Amino acid sequence: MENSQRALGWAAKDADGVLSPIKLSLRAKNDDDIIFKILYCGVCHTDLSTIKNEWGTARYPIVPGHEIIGVVIEVGTAVQNFKIGDSIGVGYIANSCLTCDQCKQNFENYCPNLIPSFNSPFHNGIESTGGFCNLFIVKEHFAIKIPENMPLEKIIAPLMCAGITVYSPMKYFGLNEKGKHLGVIGLGGLGHVAVKFAKAFGMRVTVVESNPEKRKEAMDVLGADSFLVSNCLEEMEAADGTIDGIIDTVPTVHDLHPIISLLKVHGKLIVLGGPSKPDELLTLSLIKAGKMIAGSCIGGIKDTQEMINFAAKHNITAEVEVIGIDYANKAMERLSKGDVRYRFVIDIVNSL
Ligand code: ZN
Ligand code: ZN
């Protein structure tokens, strides 16, 4: 490709998911594209599931990573709002059609032609390559402007996926109202930022976790108001009917009945992670108190910008373990066991 950029990344070559260095060519730059140097990239569970081909969607070699923060090094002639040297972020969405109903309503995340920022064919037949790489090219519409007063880039990278994934449903299901009581199921990468956003919205927050050891940190560090151990029947039943809405971040199959029981009449349960198995009994749990269950997937570009601006204003950052790219395979192994506090972020600029 004549004017394409050479890049260096780390890729998985097969379903073993082992990452190793790879040389790449980025797609050719269009007038409305931005090229940026990647500084930091968060590690999301979706990266792990994709490189292991758990959903049957893998297109090897895969350079994962979709919580990307960098600095602009080149702009196309039609780019309007970014200049060289600006801080920039890219999340899960690298492109969408911009003409369908969802795109027109700023829900690019539900566009049938969404192109993720990794593991997908892009323009010119070149695979999109994610954030485990030194360079990224993105159409301006899908780039997020990082406010100037944001702290160190490494602690905001996870907001690009984890942050918007919780912020968007909180906004659209009315679970961001001051004084309301929010439940957060699972205190991991998503859950811990959900607590931070909810506290910034002025809400009362209850964390529900299977690991009782997270109680102290949930309350003392993250500011949750209460903490329930999910398999402690006594604690769970005492909280029945007390919560307005719940964000469930657990990415594995789990029993939703005790969670639905926590909701007040007309309460809402929003599921973000993995497969749940609704059944007739679940339907009854919903029917008897006018409750609602809904799903949500990341968020649109406009909301991602709004989320990052809100985070900057309220000093919301992620709790991260910063690692070098050489630690990526070990990080994936630890992530598969949920052994991370609470998000790995790869220091790309200093290690790749
Ligand atoms: Zn993600
Ligand atoms: Zn669309």
Side-chain angles (χ1 to χ4, degrees):
M1 205 75 46
E2 212 176 286
N3 57 345
S4 72
Q5 291 258 358
R6 301 290 291 163
L8 179 65
W10 273 46
K13 316 273 177 18
D14 55 44
D16 289 342
V18 176
L19 298 157
S20 58
I22 188 172
K23 284 184 179 152
L24 307 154
S25 292
L26 300 185
R27 65 179 171 80
K29 187 182 78 176
N30 296 318
D31 289 346
D32 56 355
D33 281 332
I34 298 166
I35 299 179
F36 63 93
K37 181 169 80 175
I38 296 176
L39 300 176
Y40 298 98
C41 184
V43 183
C44 172
H45 205 277
T46 295
D47 295 316
L48 177 63
S49 298
T50 306
I51 61 173
K52 297 265 187 189
N53 199 21
E54 285 172 13
W55 300 320
T57 55
R59 307 168 65 100
Y60 298 104
I62 298 170
V63 177
H66 57 277
E67 293 182 334
I68 310 166
I69 298 286
V71 58
V72 175
I73 56 168
E74 233 183 285
V75 291
T77 51
V79 169
Q80 295 183 335
N81 296 313
F82 286 84
K83 58 182 192 313
I84 291 169
D86 281 352
S87 290
I88 184 172
V90 169
Y92 186 77
I93 310 170
N95 209 321
S96 71
C97 80
L98 296 180
T99 56
C100 72
D101 285 350
Q102 291 89 309
C103 282
K104 282 188 202 152
Q105 293 170 57
N106 299 310
F107 288 112
E108 297 92 338
N109 49 321
Y110 298 132
C111 174
N113 294 312
L114 182 154
I115 297 178
S117 43
F118 69 109
N119 189 43
S120 187
F122 211 94
H123 308 293
N124 311 333
I126 298 176
E127 300 282 308
S128 64
T129 49
F132 291 23
C133 184
N134 63 341
L135 291 176
F136 200 89
I137 177 165
V138 66
K139 186 181 171 82
E140 181 180 18
H141 178 89
F142 301 93
I144 305 301
K145 226 175 162 69
I146 307 302
E148 275 177 16
N149 64 332
M150 282 267 13
L152 278 173
E153 293 91 342
K154 56 189 158 195
I155 53 178
I156 61 163
L159 297 179
M160 300 308 302
C161 175
I164 185 60
T165 299
V166 298
Y167 182 93
S168 174
M170 288 169 83
K171 176 177 174 179
Y172 284 98
F173 294 104
L175 304 180
N176 59 356
E177 289 169 28
K178 196 173 175 179
K180 278 203 172 171
H181 186 182
L182 184 80
V184 176
I185 316 293
L187 196 65
L190 270 63
H192 91 285
V193 286
V195 174
K196 291 188 179 194
F197 277 112
K199 290 314 292 178
F201 289 136
M203 305 180 79
R204 172 175 160 71
V205 182
T206 293
V207 169
V208 182
E209 242 292 330
S210 56
N211 181 358
E213 285 172 18
K214 291 189 179 177
R215 183 188 303 267
K216 189 172 162 40
E217 186 158 282
M219 299 188 64
D220 296 352
V221 179
L222 302 173
D225 300 283
S226 48
F227 185 96
L228 304 172
V229 179
S230 56
N231 53 12
C232 175
L233 210 61
E234 217 173 283
E235 273 187 24
M236 290 293 280
E237 282 182 1
D240 269 4
T242 63
I243 298 181
D244 293 294
I246 293 174
I247 297 284
D248 186 342
T249 71
V250 176
T252 50
V253 175
H254 55 291
D255 187 4
L256 295 181
H257 291 101
I259 295 171
I260 291 171
S261 294
L262 296 172
L263 290 170
K264 292 179 186 175
V265 169
H266 289 153
K268 297 168 188 173
L269 166 62
I270 316 302
V271 289
L272 306 180
S276 321
K277 287 184 188 162
D279 58 14
E280 273 183 73
L281 285 172
L282 192 62
T283 313
L284 282 178
S285 301
L286 298 172
I287 288 172
K288 68 185 179 192
K291 296 175 184 178
M292 165 179 156
I293 181 166
S296 182
C297 185
I298 41 174
I301 298 299
K302 186 163 175 270
D303 284 335
T304 307
Q305 187 66 60
E306 181 186 296
M307 177 276 306
I308 206 88
N309 294 349
F310 182 90
K313 192 171 166 202
H314 294 271
N315 205 18
I316 294 172
T317 58
E319 305 292 317
V320 306
E321 285 188 45
V322 179
I323 59 173
I325 190 78
D326 295 347
Y327 193 78
N329 288 308
K330 180 75 184 164
M332 289 295 181
E333 187 192 320
R334 283 183 53 198
L335 181 60
S336 71
K337 299 175 193 147
D339 173 24
V340 52
R341 183 189 167 278
Y342 288 92
R343 203 66 147 180
F344 287 115
V345 170
I346 304 177
D347 183 347
I348 299 284
V349 69
N350 289 309
S351 69
L352 185 66

